Amino acid sequence: MNNLPFQIAHIGVPPIKCQGIKTKLVPFIFSNLQWEAKSDARWIEPFLGSGVVAFNLAPQRALLADTNKHIIGLYRAIQMGEMTRGNVREFLQEEGQKLAAHGQEYYYEVRERFNQSASPFDFLFLNRACFNGVMRFNRKGQFNVPFGHKPERFAPAYITKIVNQVGWVEKQMRGKDWEFRVASWSDILSEAQREDFVYLDPPYIGRHTDYFNAWDNNEAVALAETAHQLSCGFALSMWMENRYRKNEHLEKYWPDTEIKTISHFYHVGSTEDLRNEMSEALAIKPGFSAPAMAKSKSAAPASNQLSLYPM
């Protein structure tokens, strides 16, 4: 368990890919937040997404939620031992051979099967075989991303990488008091207590509006208003600007926070304008920003000495 800030030695990568994944930003986030994780405190994420922040922090207690039932279902399956390194490897080997033999025809067969059964195994397969790692659902909640045009996608080395990611996630949550829940952000924030810390990574205004549920300006404004009423610490990840435009929402609705920024490059996105250099902001509640030039632990405890599993 780590108090914040701390310097993470190695970054672990979860098995799910999605737009806006924070893998490269984990060190930036951890080094800029200040939180003492007391025994009864929970790390709370209402927008879990890939889960990369929570899994790398590995708090003792956590409430991890998303409206995307498939993400929550996959991590619950790993938590409950229903998805393991062994059966994930076996599944991907079998499905990968079928994909190699039949190409996009088989991909769309699996997609149709998933939209009927919601199997976490099929979800993992589609997530790693679809076009450019995009996670997108239609208004009926059906996965609708086209084939990624790589029938030989599941080569032995690639399967091993995914299996290792599943194993790492299982290790990080093992023995921890973590609850995974399908819920709205408003329901989750209503449970936050003074000693908790809330990390907010909502769909970005102007970027990920078709991620799973509709996300519009009204929702974004309501989130800002609610967050400012929290008794505990919080931090919001949000894009600040790129070469095309600035994010006026951040300046207008999060003015009382301390803003830390870093530039990085998005590689996941359906169009070129979503795959470019971006100035990323971390908006932090006053009192929970790490002091400038703070020197935190040079290394994490053994449970957080992670190997970097590439995307």
Side-chain angles (χ1 to χ4, degrees):
M1 178 63 207
N2 289 296
N3 291 326
L4 294 171
F6 82 95
Q7 302 295 328
I8 186 167
H10 303 284
I11 305 168
V13 180
I16 291 297
K17 297 176 69 175
C18 61
Q19 301 93 303
I21 187 170
K22 295 296 184 292
T23 305
K24 293 184 177 180
L25 297 181
V26 166
F28 166 71
I29 293 169
F30 288 174
S31 64
N32 279 291
L33 299 182
Q34 184 166 266
W35 178 53
E36 182 181 353
K38 298 181 179 179
S39 60
D40 59 343
R42 290 190 297 182
W43 177 265
I44 298 177
E45 291 194 35
F47 307 94
L48 182 61
S50 73
V52 67
V53 176
F55 288 125
N56 276 284
L57 183 62
Q60 186 60 38
R61 303 186 69 230
L63 174 56
L64 306 173
D66 204 289
T67 56
N68 188 323
K69 63 182 181 181
H70 306 297
I71 289 176
I72 298 301
L74 184 143
Y75 287 137
R76 280 178 178 168
I78 297 174
Q79 185 182 45
M80 300 300 293
E82 297 166 3
M83 290 185 78
T84 65
R85 292 172 59 99
N87 61 23
V88 167
R89 181 184 294 278
E90 181 179 353
F91 176 81
L92 293 180
Q93 286 174 340
E94 293 179 357
E95 298 302 295
Q97 290 173 2
K98 295 175 184 177
L99 183 68
H102 304 289
Q104 68 175 10
E105 179 182 349
Y106 189 69
Y107 172 85
Y108 290 115
E109 181 180 327
V110 175
R111 194 177 77 172
E112 182 177 356
R113 183 176 75 195
F114 167 73
N115 284 329
Q116 294 175 352
S117 68
S119 163
F121 288 90
D122 284 344
F123 180 52
L124 180 61
F125 172 87
L126 292 171
N127 181 253
R128 304 309 287 253
C130 70
F131 174 72
N132 205 47
V134 173
M135 187 182 295
R136 188 182 66 204
F137 299 82
N138 62 24
R139 293 183 179 181
K140 295 181 180 180
Q142 297 178 322
F143 190 82
N144 65 355
V145 184
F147 181 46
H149 305 295
K150 295 180 180 179
E152 305 291 339
R153 180 67 162 167
F154 294 98
Y158 192 62
I159 291 175
T160 294
K161 179 165 60 177
I162 298 171
V163 167
N164 286 342
Q165 291 168 347
V166 170
W168 172 70
V169 163
E170 188 280 327
K171 176 186 174 185
Q172 291 303 94
M173 68 173 79
R174 188 185 307 155
K176 308 288 177 56
D177 180 11
W178 287 14
E179 179 183 359
F180 291 94
R181 193 188 303 176
V182 179
S184 68
W185 64 264
S186 55
D187 287 344
I188 296 302
L189 292 190
S190 69
E191 299 185 25
Q193 302 297 311
R194 182 174 296 276
E195 301 299 333
D196 297 335
F197 194 94
V198 173
Y199 173 65
L200 301 166
D201 186 20
Y204 286 6
I205 291 291
R207 291 182 62 83
H208 306 142
T209 55
D210 56 359
Y211 161 66
F212 189 75
N213 294 117
W215 183 261
D216 58 21
N217 188 66
N218 291 335
E219 282 282 301
V221 172
L223 174 63
E225 293 174 347
T226 302
H228 282 82
Q229 299 302 314
L230 292 173
S231 61
C232 63
F234 70 78
L236 168 86
S237 281
M238 180 61 66
W239 72 278
M240 190 165 189
E241 62 181 339
N242 61 20
R243 62 177 178 173
Y244 298 101
R245 61 194 188 279
K246 292 185 177 181
N247 187 351
E248 296 179 358
H249 169 85
L250 190 63
E251 181 178 349
K252 185 174 182 180
Y253 295 103
W254 301 85
D256 298 327
T257 57
E258 183 171 348
I259 304 292
K260 302 290 183 72
T261 61
I262 189 174
S263 293
H264 72 114
F265 194 91
Y266 274 108
H267 294 279
V268 177
S270 56
T271 59
E272 185 177 355
D273 68 320
L274 298 183
R275 301 195 299 269
N276 54 78
E277 188 174 19
M278 174 76 66
S279 177
E280 185 91 14
L282 189 64
I284 310 168
K285 180 177 179 177
F288 293 88
S289 175
M293 304 301 291
K295 297 296 183 181
S296 57
K297 299 176 184 178
S298 59
S303 63
N304 278 285
Q305 294 296 325
L306 314 176
S307 297
L308 177 58
Y309 299 132
M311 294 293 288

